[in-house]
Amino acid sequence: MSGNIQLLSDTLAGAKAEGRAALVAYLPAGFPTVDGGIEAIKAAFDGGADVVEVGLPHSDPVLDGPVIQTADDIALRGGVKIADVMRTVKETYEATGKPVLVMTYWNPIDRYGVERFTAELAEAGGAGCILPDLPVQESALWREHAQKHALATVFVVAPSSKDARLAEITAAGSGFVYAASLMGVTGTRESVGAQAQDLVERTRVAGAGAGADLPVCVGLGVSNAAQAAEVAGFADGVIVGSAFVKRMLDAADDKAGVEGVRALAGELAKGVRRQA
């Protein structure tokens, strides 16, 4: 079975054709349980998310702030395994028919085996992987197998990324480019800031120069409809993670958490449609 990179590309193109940014939600697998995580991801789609990133919980998540670290810790203490991540992708994709990616650090894939990981992700119906700590110059093996299995390779760029680096990343990546809106870790913030818009513009220019017209989606800091509308005014996609996880953590029980995810997705979906 081939992966669903084309579904991801079509979904992002479809949002653009509607004159809006796509809403990309992030939730970790295995949080609060494997079954509970699957229900939460389905709820995000039900509420209006176009794409979901399934986090592969990691003991040392260098990009993730305290909210996602807390969720990862709960998932890891619950015994979540890569097989559970694949099951999460499979069940949410089969239930919704929408693009599901995995966001993971490189070490778990390296230990699991690149060919095994990409083959299983494609078999599960996954659309690709976001790899925040894999340097593009060390990514040839991954990209070879990802391309073989029709999976997107999404690299992360930051405001500190030089233009030459942006060109290299956009030429090597596929699906979209993940633009980290500011230096630091994930988490909700009062303002997303002008750095994000500058980074999106520079990434697009670099991509055009490299012959790679990839959508640019912005994450790190977006937590409400107003911020989603602001980012939707200049980005192709708005990525929200910590705000969804916080709804789950703050809820009285798992059912309320799932309803909180659905409600937040609905608010954010309206935000990306109105644009600031």
Side-chain angles (χ1 to χ4, degrees), residues 56-248:
L56 195 160
H58 194 274
S59 57
D60 186 26
V62 292
L63 184 71
D64 299 312
V67 170
I68 291 175
Q69 284 186 27
T70 299
D72 277 4
D73 185 55
I74 290 168
L76 290 167
R77 283 191 282 113
V80 70
K81 300 287 191 293
I82 287 179
D84 299 312
V85 177
M86 297 300 179
R87 181 187 149 211
T88 299
V89 172
K90 182 179 175 65
E91 293 194 14
T92 51
Y93 167 65
E94 288 181 347
T96 65
K98 294 181 179 178
V100 184
L101 300 111
V102 169
M103 185 166 188
T104 179
Y105 296 98
W106 179 245
N107 187 52
I109 296 177
D110 192 37
R111 291 178 62 185
Y112 197 73
V114 176
E115 170 59 22
R116 181 184 177 196
F117 190 95
T118 51
E120 290 183 8
L121 182 55
E123 185 65 29
C129 249
I130 300 162
L131 301 159
D133 66 338
L134 178 62
V136 65
Q137 63 269 24
E138 296 174 19
S139 66
L141 178 64
W142 164 266
R143 287 188 287 123
E144 175 191 338
H145 288 290
Q147 187 172 14
K148 173 183 170 184
H149 292 290
L151 296 169
T153 297
V154 179
F155 290 112
V156 178
V157 298
S160 59
S161 300
K162 304 297 184 187
D163 290 349
R165 173 83 169 162
L166 294 177
E168 187 179 11
I169 287 172
T170 50
S174 56
F176 64 91
V177 178
Y178 186 127
S181 65
L182 70 175
M183 303 303 293
V185 298
T186 59
T188 62
R189 289 174 171 80
E190 293 299 315
S191 173
V192 179
Q195 277 189 318
Q197 185 167 0
D198 176 67
L199 177 57
V200 169
E201 290 171 358
R202 289 197 301 118
T203 303
R204 285 184 176 143
V205 169
D213 187 22
L214 288 181
V216 183
C217 302
V218 170
L220 272 67
V222 177
S223 61
N224 57 48
Q227 290 174 337
E230 176 191 354
V231 174
F234 57 81
D236 299 298
V238 180
I239 303 170
V240 181
S242 295
F244 280 113
V245 175
K246 194 169 188 305
R247 289 284 177 113
M248 297 283 288

